[in-house]
Amino acid sequence: MLPSRAVNLHRLPHFRLKPSCTSAYGKASCSRLVLGIETSCDDTGAAVMDEAGLILGESLHSQKEVHLKTGGIIPTVAQQLHRENIARVVQEALERSGVNPGQLSAVATTVKPGLALSLGVGLDFSRSFVRRHSKPFIPIHHMEAHALTVRMLQPVAFPFLVLLISGGHSLLAVARGVDDFLLLGQTLDEAPGDTMDKVARRLSLIKHPRCSTLSGGQAIELLAADGDRRRFPFRTPMGQNYDCCFSFAGLRNQITMTIMKTEAEEGVQQGALLSCVSDIAAATQHSVASHLAKRTHRAILFCKAKGLLPACSPTLVVSGGVASNQYIRKALTIITEATGLHLLCPPAKFCTDNGVMIAWNGVERLREGKGILPHDVDVSYEPKAPLGVDITAEVKAAAIRVPPVKLKITN
Ligand code: KG4
Ligand code: ZN
């Protein structure tokens, strides 16, 4: 069996700029430069990057605080906040990089998938920007960008397996090239971050003194560390489905029923904090981790059976906001150790939505000359856009049984 290790990617590559490459602004290199713009959900992000993957300047405006208060993302609110911030965020990224629009080689912007109203703001802004400055436009698929971000941090050769888990996504895919993906499985209902956000809201964790500023997933991880997961043995979802798809809605229903029952037992009204929130958090986190681990295990076995990953040093990349959960990472480490894969998790900053990952995707496309459009071509956004070629039916037909693996995780 191949040795397995979990690697945290904490360092960006440092490329020294030759003085002769330095622009009048002091920082920009002589290589081609890409401006990346992200507005697909609730983060307004922009970054300027050179062709070597060096981040020259970036800016990010997060709407998290607003959405935490309203109890979820309201698309019109997200749209308004993107509108209010996009020009400033782009301007800041340009200023911090010391690059003026004329020096850019292209503008890369997320156009799919995401919230229609949010995508529209980024696309409208980018369309007028590229027309004004006569710059090529590179439309970006948000999930492809998540999947490829790891390659900005260290060389990871194609093909590799990728698990993307966040508030909006849950999928397993094989990345075979910059624009070549095989979709092995995705969520049938909601994403794990969404589930944890909703459970946290149902538990009113915002009222917990240690959780008031945390996202639902962060609050659950924090409280779970002191909880006893065995007190609430939730069923891991989809035990009888031998594919790589995910489902979290049924699990959330189990959790909600348990919360209601416990409220009744404790004589507590909905909206007040239960005495056993840590135990519920621990059980929730364990069930989510266990579901993710099982589907990922099957995806690894499927890839091995079909020869989809290299025999030497096969890699699993895990990204998205939920990937910063240490308990989930440990569960996935147990699976990669059992199957001989390397596990790579970009640091949290690069797991979540930002302009940098979009700029990097633009760089990868620019290098390969793929998907670069003239400034006057009309591009539309696509709220729903599958990632790559969907082979979920083939995965289901293979019906691979996953051998039992004990997820013994200590905090
Ligand atoms: O990638 P992201 O910033 O935005 C998208 O959803 O696209 O991910 C945010 C999600 C939220 O649902 C949040 O609750 C979850 O990631 N999250 C976590 C943790 N940190 C953030 N979930 C579990 N454990 C965490 N430590
Ligand atoms: Zn995302």
Side-chain angles (χ1 to χ4, degrees):
M1 194 178 287
L2 291 167
S4 162
R5 66 195 159 92
V7 182
N8 277 320
L9 305 167
H10 286 301
R11 285 153 54 94
L12 285 172
H14 292 286
F15 298 95
R16 293 232 168 272
L17 299 175
K18 290 191 201 125
S20 60
C21 286
T22 306
S23 76
Y25 297 87
K27 266 174 99 185
S29 76
C30 56
S31 79
R32 292 183 292 178
L33 306 173
V34 173
L35 168 65
I37 298 177
E38 158 65 31
T39 65
S40 68
C41 187
D42 58 345
D43 291 299
T44 317
V48 179
M49 183 176 283
D50 76 7
E51 213 175 343
L54 185 72
I55 303 163
L56 300 176
E58 62 172 304
S59 177
L60 186 67
H61 176 264
S62 168
Q63 305 175 357
K64 187 175 119 184
E65 250 176 62
V66 176
H67 299 311
L68 210 55
K69 283 198 192 108
T70 52
I73 299 173
I74 300 168
T76 48
V77 174
Q79 179 190 43
Q80 182 57 25
L81 291 170
H82 283 307
R83 278 187 182 144
E84 286 169 15
N85 290 287
I86 187 148
R88 176 185 59 79
V89 163
V90 170
Q91 188 58 29
E92 264 173 20
L94 285 165
E95 276 171 17
R96 287 172 185 163
S97 65
V99 167
N100 66 49
Q103 292 173 293
L104 294 169
S105 294
V107 176
T109 301
T110 307
V111 301
K112 60 185 173 185
L115 297 174
L117 296 180
S118 296
L119 288 167
V121 178
L123 184 55
D124 282 350
F125 180 90
S126 305
R127 223 179 346 226
S128 55
F129 187 96
V130 295
R131 283 183 186 172
R132 191 160 64 246
H133 301 289
S134 296
K135 295 294 171 188
F137 183 56
I138 310 180
I140 301 293
H141 190 299
H142 183 81
M143 306 312 297
E144 290 184 8
H146 268 307
L148 300 187
T149 306
V150 69
R151 286 163 49 85
M152 175 186 87
L153 302 158
Q154 74 170 65
V156 182
F158 294 117
F160 57 88
L161 180 63
V162 60
L163 170 68
L164 298 178
I165 39 177
S166 71
H169 337 292
S170 189
L171 64 82
L172 277 157
V174 180
R176 301 196 301 182
V178 169
D179 60 352
D180 183 6
F181 293 82
L182 293 177
L183 182 67
L184 304 179
Q186 61 186 331
T187 186
L188 303 177
D189 37 58
E190 58 196 46
D194 190 22
T195 307
M196 286 192 270
D197 290 342
K198 284 174 175 154
V199 169
R201 273 206 296 283
R202 182 62 186 77
L203 287 169
S204 303
L205 296 188
I206 200 154
K207 292 186 184 160
H208 194 289
R210 297 172 69 202
C211 303
S212 61
T213 60
L214 301 183
S215 68
Q218 287 169 324
I220 283 178
E221 179 168 24
L222 182 88
L223 295 179
D226 303 321
D228 175 11
R229 70 170 175 83
R230 287 182 186 81
R231 197 165 152 203
F232 299 105
F234 301 129
R235 263 184 328 280
T236 303
M238 299 181 85
Q240 302 307 309
N241 294 54
Y242 303 109
D243 59 19
C244 292
C245 286
F246 303 91
S247 168
F248 294 94
L251 173 64
R252 185 157 61 80
N253 194 38
Q254 282 186 68
I255 300 167
T256 307
M257 304 293 271
T258 299
I259 295 171
M260 285 163 68
K261 187 164 164 269
T262 317
E263 280 169 350
E265 283 165 10
E266 290 192 8
V268 162
Q269 293 291 312
Q270 177 172 342
L273 279 173
L274 282 170
S275 65
C276 58
V277 276
S278 298
D279 299 336
I280 296 176
T284 300
Q285 180 177 255
H286 181 77
S287 299
V288 170
S290 167
H291 185 38
L292 293 172
K294 281 223 173 81
R295 310 324 266 190
T296 305
H297 195 168
R298 179 169 292 113
I300 292 170
L301 298 182
F302 177 83
C303 288
K304 286 189 170 194
K306 303 285 178 185
L308 293 174
L309 294 176
C312 180
S313 274
T315 299
L316 168 68
V317 172
V318 186
S319 195
V322 177
S324 52
N325 183 294
Q326 293 304 317
Y327 190 93
I328 290 170
R329 282 195 191 194
K330 281 182 199 163
L332 293 167
T333 305
I334 291 170
I335 301 303
T336 49
E337 275 175 358
T339 50
L341 265 75
H342 290 281
L343 176 61
L344 297 179
C345 300
K349 177 179 185 327
F350 296 114
C351 278
T352 52
D353 294 352
N354 56 69
V356 171
M357 71 181 206
I358 306 305
W360 170 252
N361 203 232
V363 164
E364 291 240 51
R365 286 181 167 275
L366 199 63
R367 282 179 184 171
E368 294 203 4
K370 284 183 170 157
I372 304 155
L373 309 177
H375 62 84
D376 51 0
V377 164
D378 231 3
V379 177
S380 320
Y381 59 79
E382 293 170 54
K384 291 207 184 317
L387 174 69
V389 177
D390 186 345
I391 61 160
T392 54
E394 200 183 317
V395 175
K396 195 181 178 77
I400 292 173
R401 308 288 164 122
V402 173
V405 175
K406 267 245 158 310
L407 293 182
K408 241 182 120 197
I409 301 163
T410 45
N411 287 309

